Amino acid sequence: MLNESIINLEQKNIFAKVTEKISEFRKKHPEADIVSLGIGDVSRPIPQTSIEAMHRAVDDLATMENFKGYGAYYGYDFLKEKILENDYRDFNFSKDEVYISNGAKTDTTSILELFDINSKICIADPMYPIYRDGARCLNRNIYVLEALEKNDFVLQIPKEKYDIIYICSPNNPIGIAYTYDDLKKWVDYALKNNSIILYDNVYESFITSNNVPHSIYEITGAKNVAIEFRSFSKKASFTGVRCSYYIIPNEIDNGINFAWKKRTINRFNGADYIAQRGAEATYTNEAKIEIKENIKYYMDNANSLRMCFKNLGFKVWGGIDSPFIWVKIKEGITSWEIFEKYLSDINVVIIPGVIFGINGDSYFRVSALGNNEVINKAIERLKKYYEKNN
Ligand code: PLP
C-alpha cells in the first residue's frame, strides 16, 4: 500500500511542467534562441577559496590519518564554529543548537518530524511549494493563509491559532523581505499561541534594506519560538555541492535538542565532509570578497529586471533584498497564458505564478540569478515586444 498523499501530489515536480513545455516548443522550433528568466539556479561559480578547500578535503580522504567517515551526524565543529562566529555572533548559541545538513529543501520538511503529527501547519499562498508538498508527503495538517497584493504579500497575523508557521524571508517567489516590524508581530503571535516559526532565511546574503533583520533572532523573544534555516546554495553556489544549516534554540523547549539529536542519529549519517570544508572556507576574507562580488552581480541583474518591468508599466515586487522579482500580469490573462505568450512570441521563459499557489495566477516570477548577458537579451526582447504591442 503506497502513501496516498504522495500519489495525489499535483505534479511530479512543480517545475517539470515548465521544462516539458520548453522542450515541446524546442522540438517544434529548433531554430528558436530561447532565453530563460526562470532559472532558480546560480550562474556564478563556487568561490575559488572553497574550491581549494574542497580539493584539500578530497586529499584528506586518501590517508587513514586524515580520513573522515561516519560520526558527525549533526555536522563538524569546525563549520559550526565558523557559523556561530560569523552569522550568529550576537545570539549566544552553542554548537549543540546548530545542525549542518545537505540542503534547506530537505531540512524545511524534515523538521516537521520534531513536532506532533496533529500540529496545525500554516503555509502561505503564494509560497515556495516545497513546504506544502513536503508536509503533504508526511500526511500533515496544512492550512493555507493568503498572502495578498494589498499587503505586499506579507502574511498577516491570523485570528486562528496555528502550531507551526512557515515564513520565508527574503522570499521566494515574491522577492520581498519581512521587516523588523512584520517579524515582531509574528514572534509575538507565536509567543502568545505557543507556536513555532520555521524561518527560511536561505536568501539572507541578498538583503540590502536596513529595516530587514539578517536573522529572526534579532527579534526579542524569537529564541523561544523560531527555528532558522540557511544554506550555502545561493550564497556560495553550492546548489550542486549541497550544504545547509539550521538553528534549534534550547529556549524553545528544554528537551528539544536532545529529542532532535535522537531523531537525527537515526535518520541521517551527516552532511558530506568535503562540502563542509568548502562551506567552512566561505568564511575566509578572500571568499567573502568573491561572494560579495557575486551577490552584486545578481543584484545588478535584479535592478535591471525591476526597472525593465517598471518602465514597461508593470507592478513589481522584490529584487531589492532577494534575487526574485514578482510581476503582475497587465494583460489580464493567467500566468500560464503569459508564459505561453512570451515563449512563442519572444522566446523568453518566465515562471508562472500559479506554480506557487492559486493566488499567484495573476503574476509571474523572474529570477536575477541567471547570466547577465542572457538577462539583458531577455530585457531587450521584452522592451521591443511592448513597444510594438502597447
Ligand atoms: N528555500 C527556498 C525558499 C528556496 O528558494 C530554495 C531553493 O531554491 C531552498 C530552500 C532550497 O535550498 P537548498 O539548495 O539548500 O536545498
Side-chain angles (χ1 to χ4, degrees):
M1 185 76 160
L2 301 180
N3 180 348
E4 278 289 308
S5 308
I6 298 180
I7 311 244
N8 292 336
L9 283 184
E10 278 141 44
Q11 287 137 13
K12 291 169 276 184
N13 174 287
I14 41 141
F15 291 105
K17 208 164 151 192
V18 173
T19 317
E20 269 168 30
K21 281 190 184 275
I22 299 170
S23 17
E24 271 169 34
F25 185 82
R26 228 187 261 285
K27 261 190 221 147
K28 282 193 209 146
H29 307 276
E31 74 297 342
D33 173 26
I34 300 173
V35 293
S36 181
L37 294 178
I39 186 164
D41 208 337
V42 294
S43 57
R44 308 290 297 161
I46 291 175
Q48 190 54 31
T49 326
S50 288
I51 295 289
E52 285 160 19
M54 287 192 278
H55 278 298
R56 286 194 300 275
V58 171
D59 288 340
D60 286 346
L61 306 180
T63 62
M64 281 325 285
E65 210 183 324
N66 296 321
F67 179 81
K68 297 285 182 300
Y70 287 139
Y73 304 104
Y74 323 116
Y76 285 102
D77 281 355
F78 61 76
L79 179 54
K80 290 185 181 189
E81 281 158 14
K82 286 283 181 281
I83 289 168
L84 289 177
E85 274 163 40
N86 288 274
D87 299 332
Y88 294 102
R89 199 177 32 213
D90 300 333
F91 307 113
N92 203 22
F93 287 117
S94 65
K95 279 183 283 196
D96 231 26
E97 296 164 286
V98 186
Y99 297 82
I100 313 295
S101 184
N102 58 6
K105 186 179 199 172
T106 322
D107 302 336
T108 49
T109 296
S110 307
I111 200 71
L112 295 178
E113 293 174 30
L114 180 57
F115 300 101
D116 189 276
I117 195 155
N118 296 313
S119 302
K120 290 171 79 175
I121 301 169
C122 174
I123 53 166
D125 176 346
M127 97 244 83
Y128 177 57
I130 298 302
Y131 310 143
R132 177 195 62 207
D133 292 346
R136 276 187 188 157
C137 291
L138 294 177
N139 296 300
R140 298 305 162 111
N141 304 317
I142 306 165
Y143 297 80
V144 174
L145 205 57
E146 293 186 318
L148 298 174
E149 179 181 326
K150 65 174 183 189
N151 304 315
D152 284 329
F153 299 97
V154 171
L155 271 187
Q156 303 298 294
I157 304 296
K159 290 199 183 74
E160 304 76 24
K161 169 185 164 21
Y162 297 103
D163 301 306
I164 295 171
I165 302 111
Y166 278 97
I167 295 182
C168 180
S169 175
N171 188 273
N172 175 15
I174 314 290
I176 52 139
Y178 282 57
T179 63
Y180 284 95
D181 290 347
D182 297 329
L183 276 181
K184 183 179 179 329
K185 287 184 198 152
W186 275 105
V187 168
D188 290 346
Y189 168 90
L191 286 166
K192 190 171 136 210
N193 291 292
N194 210 10
S195 322
I196 295 291
I197 296 173
L198 300 178
Y199 192 67
D200 186 344
N201 194 12
V202 300
Y203 295 103
E204 177 275 333
S205 47
F206 294 85
I207 295 173
T208 60
S209 301
N210 290 332
N211 63 347
V212 171
H214 283 255
S215 165
I216 194 167
Y217 303 117
E218 289 181 49
I219 312 294
T220 309
K223 272 185 146 190
N224 295 85
V225 293
I227 294 176
E228 178 165 300
F229 301 86
R230 295 202 199 182
S231 169
F232 294 96
S233 283
K234 304 295 162 74
K235 175 184 175 185
S237 305
F238 273 44
T239 48
V241 172
R242 315 301 305 144
C243 195
S244 60
Y245 53 107
Y246 52 94
I247 304 282
I248 305 183
N250 283 330
E251 281 86 341
I252 293 180
D253 183 296
N254 267 343
I256 196 166
N257 278 301
F258 182 68
W260 189 241
K261 286 192 166 63
K262 260 202 290 192
R263 171 269 176 204
T264 300
I265 204 166
N266 285 302
R267 295 269 285 108
F268 187 54
N269 261 333
D272 185 302
Y273 167 68
I274 302 164
Q276 290 187 68
R277 280 293 184 202
E280 178 193 23
T282 65
Y283 293 103
T284 58
N285 288 337
E286 297 87 329
K288 282 181 185 168
I289 293 167
E290 281 186 74
I291 288 169
K292 217 168 159 187
E293 281 167 8
N294 288 347
I295 301 278
K296 183 176 179 317
Y297 176 95
Y298 297 133
M299 293 320 270
D300 285 348
N301 283 345
N303 191 43
S304 310
L305 283 166
R306 256 179 79 81
M307 292 323 293
C308 160
F309 285 107
K310 267 192 138 172
N311 292 338
L312 293 174
F314 287 88
K315 213 168 167 193
V316 297
W317 291 263
I320 291 171
D321 297 301
S322 152
F324 299 111
I325 294 137
W326 187 244
V327 186
K328 183 161 191 185
I329 303 164
K330 59 177 181 174
E331 286 88 342
I333 56 178
T334 69
S335 57
W336 275 117
E337 284 166 347
I338 196 86
F339 170 88
E340 301 276 5
K341 206 175 191 27
Y342 286 160
L343 182 60
S344 64
D345 293 1
I346 50 174
N347 306 153
V348 168
V349 174
I350 48 90
I351 300 293
V354 72
I355 278 182
F356 306 99
I358 197 73
N359 281 332
D361 206 17
S362 302
Y363 311 85
F364 59 90
R365 189 198 78 177
V366 292
S367 163
L369 292 169
N371 174 281
N372 173 266
E373 282 167 27
V374 171
I375 287 178
N376 286 338
K377 210 178 204 180
I379 288 176
E380 282 315 307
R381 289 187 197 174
L382 282 159
K383 280 186 189 161
K384 272 202 195 126
Y385 177 80
Y386 281 102
E387 266 164 30
K388 254 201 253 157
N389 292 291
N390 259 346

